[in-house]
Amino acid sequence: MAINVIKPGLSTTVQDLGRPGYYHIGIPTSGAMDMLSLAAANLLVGNPAGAAALEAVFMGPELEFTADAMVAVTGADMPPKVDGQEQAGWTAFPVKKGQVLSFGFLKAGARAYIAVSGGIDVPVVLGSRSTYTLGALGGFEGRKLQAGDVLPMAAGSGARSSVSAGRSVPEELRRRPGAPAELRMLPGLYWHRITEAAGERFFEDTWKVAPEADRIGYRFKAGQPLEFVDREQPFGAGSDPSNIVDACYPYGSVQVPGGTEPIVLHRDAVSGGGYFMVGTVISADMDLIGQLQPHTPTRFVKVTMEEALAARRDRKAVLEGIAAALA
Amino acid sequence: MNTRYSFGGDEHIFVECDEEMSLEAFFKGMSITTALREAKIRGVTEICPANASFQVRFDPDVIAPEAMLSELKALEAAAQAAPSVLETRIIEVPVYYNDPWTHETLMRFRERHQDPTSTDVEYTARINNLDGVDGFVKAHSGAPWFVSMVGFVAGLPFLYQMVDRARQIQSPKYLRPRTDTPRLTVGHGGCFGCIYSVRGAGGYQMFGITPMPIYDPNQTVPYLRDFMCLFKPGDIVKWKPIGREEYDHTVAEVDAGRWMPRIAPVTFSLAEFQKDIDGTNTRIMEALNGH
């Protein structure tokens, strides 16, 4: 009951819904960057929404199955193939013992989620199977997959009788970033450090995803530098106006080192540091960041707490819609 | 001290106890976060103390953001009234200052440093008016340090020396961050010390290295079997300068699974410390030395 990794893809890791509870000692939650897509892939193959699956970035892996399984691929548009035969995305399909699952080129999005009936059976570490690469923790030996790895599949993971091949997530429930991508942000934290004019320009500018974009954080460039309100730097903060006394970083927080390129921290966030933050991308839009490719034009959209909570309800409704459609 | 509250999106509240670093600001954060942990409020998922601030993550589907904010403000008022006493522990950390591994690394990234012609220790000694490397080691290892925050990456302690502000060692971060730092490097940036728990990028000055692992995801190191990270906010650290011979011996003992750090329980009172810094530190160190 295993999957043999023939080719690992660019950076493929085991992820589930993450391990909250250890951020105070620097261990981030990890988990799928696009949790909605992870949940959809799992539900398609009859797994609980939070089962461990594979997250493949930009380029898919090549996997040989040693047992029958039901498989679904969601998230990025990266067509799955079984023994070379193309399969539909967001749709359950069977893979027989001995068959090879591979992927075509990426057409849209950034991260594909590959769920296998029963889930990927790596050890649970601190309550989760997610990979935290920086800390060499969880997942498959604490790292991204390599050729030759043998991924354990959960016992009894053969296609569940109640799950039929061909069922799929309705098109309107497949959430994707728009063009330009819009990330809703609640201003705050150290927003007062920049001038009013700089604050206005921050939301007016169209930024672009920089090449330095990974599970720790997404960097954006091509906007105008932020001007700071003059002050004498507090003791312990450091001399640059963008420095603060090292503090915690919220998930989704937007730090702007030197006032030039915003970085949005994601699931493998560094838990704290000495850069000021202008606000936080709302929880509902974190999934979308996981699907942004480098160079994608992106705008930050200012919202209130009420709007953030409404967006959170909308996202939950999408998840419930997917669950209902696949019940 | 002016407490400032801000929402970090719909899932976090960020609380700044003070803009500037002080032991008082750190203690205020420790008191409120300790009270919050004990209050066991439904919907609270992460409580993260930091240097002069702290952060709470909550599930807004369970507790509304405004209700969470009110709970924290009530706890702040209660914490203000309580005496600042901490039951904690002191941990001795051996340091091989000016070791060959951090030296090799700092030479490799010299063009990113403020002073390419001297080492990180020499530079820091000079800008802090300390008497060369020896004077630096004496100041760095003479008085204990508080673990004021654990984070950045897994298990990495930020340390704040328990001396008055005039005696705080201060040093800027590298002009541009390095892409490499040896695992277990003892570093310093601003007024904070740190121990790099894993190898990786870093911008702090590099002073030395400890043979003592502080993070072990495989939990094979005997003293990390119960939990993979050694440090918690509120721990007290005492550096012990060692040479090459003791370093090599300790590494061998650690690898053989025989080495244990020296750790002792200790009570810290902020009021006592404010009255007599050196006396308090002497008493804390006596706890370590078994007097």
Side-chain angles (χ1 to χ4, degrees), chain A residues 257-297:
Chain A
T260 55
E261 296 183 340
I263 299 169
V264 183
L265 291 180
H266 219 273
R267 314 284 186 209
D268 284 2
V270 290
S271 67
Y275 289 114
F276 92 114
M277 301 155 272
V278 290
T280 309
V281 172
I282 64 173
S283 62
D285 286 354
M286 291 292 280
D287 296 322
L288 298 178
I289 297 174
Q291 296 302 348
L292 299 181
Q293 294 177 5
H295 311 300
T296 305

Side-chain angles (χ1 to χ4, degrees), chain A residues 133-204:
Chain A
T133 318
L134 208 54
L137 184 77
F140 187 87
E141 297 181 0
R143 58 166 171 80
K144 64 182 187 181
L145 298 186
Q146 293 172 1
D149 287 346
V150 180
L151 281 175
M153 284 159 67
S157 54
R160 242 177 54 177
S161 56
S162 62
V163 175
S164 48
R167 65 198 206 126
S168 75
V169 173
E171 182 66 37
E172 68 275 14
L173 296 175
R174 304 175 188 179
R175 196 167 167 234
R176 298 186 177 98
E182 291 191 343
L183 301 177
R184 287 168 287 187
M185 186 187 106
L186 187 67
L189 304 172
Y190 289 85
W191 175 260
H192 58 276
R193 289 293 299 115
I194 57 171
T195 63
E196 208 181 315
E200 280 168 19
R201 283 199 304 271
F202 179 80
F203 289 116
E204 284 162 10

Side-chain angles (χ1 to χ4, degrees), chain B residues 9-25:
Chain B
D10 47 325
E11 292 187 345
H12 308 82
I13 294 182
F14 178 80
V15 185
E16 187 184 67
C17 299
D18 199 358
E19 261 199 324
E20 61 174 27
M21 182 58 192
S22 67
L23 213 49
E24 288 76 9

Side-chain angles (χ1 to χ4, degrees), chain B residues 163-222:
Chain B
V163 292
D164 54 45
R165 190 169 288 182
R167 283 194 282 166
Q168 295 277 336
I169 297 168
Q170 291 196 72
S171 209
K173 294 168 191 167
Y174 272 46
L175 297 174
R176 283 183 297 130
R178 297 176 304 273
T179 53
D180 193 17
T181 311
R183 173 176 163 263
L184 298 177
T185 291
V186 174
H188 198 94
C191 63
F192 296 106
C194 83
I195 306 172
Y196 284 88
S197 51
V198 295
R199 183 178 176 178
Y204 276 26
Q205 306 283 331
M206 296 186 291
F207 295 156
I209 199 161
T210 174
M212 175 179 136
I214 60 168
Y215 170 68
D216 177 18
N218 300 318
Q219 293 182 270
T220 53
V221 173

Side-chain angles (χ1 to χ4, degrees), chain A residues 19-27 29 125-126 132 134-137 186-190 192-193 231 234-236 243 245-251 269-274 277 280-284 305 308-309 312 316, chain B residues 4 6-12 14 16 19-21 45-53 55 57 59-61 65 149-156 158 160 165 168 170 173 191-192 198 204 215 217 227-229 231 233:
Chain A
R19 60 172 68 76
Y22 303 93
Y23 206 40
H24 64 291
I25 43 163
I27 301 176
T29 173
V125 181
L126 302 178
Y132 168 45
L134 208 54
L137 184 77
L186 187 67
L189 304 172
Y190 289 85
H192 58 276
R193 289 293 299 115
R231 72 164 176 182
F235 176 78
N243 285 155
V245 170
D246 290 52
C248 295
Y249 289 152
Y251 295 106
V270 290
S271 67
M277 301 155 272
T280 309
V281 172
I282 64 173
S283 62
M305 179 62 88
L309 294 174
R312 188 180 172 91
K316 204 172 174 190
Chain B
R4 191 172 64 82
S6 180
F7 286 111
D10 47 325
E11 292 187 345
H12 308 82
F14 178 80
E16 187 184 67
E19 261 199 324
E20 61 174 27
M21 182 58 192
T45 58
E46 308 263 10
I47 302 168
C48 305
N51 297 311
S53 59
Q55 180 181 296
R57 190 178 189 200
D59 180 349
D61 301 335
M149 173 170 166
V150 180
F152 181 59
V153 293
L156 182 152
F158 284 81
Y160 183 70
R165 190 169 288 182
Q168 295 277 336
Q170 291 196 72
K173 294 168 191 167
C191 63
F192 296 106
V198 295
Y204 276 26
Y215 170 68
F227 197 68
M228 59 184 73
C229 298
F231 290 110

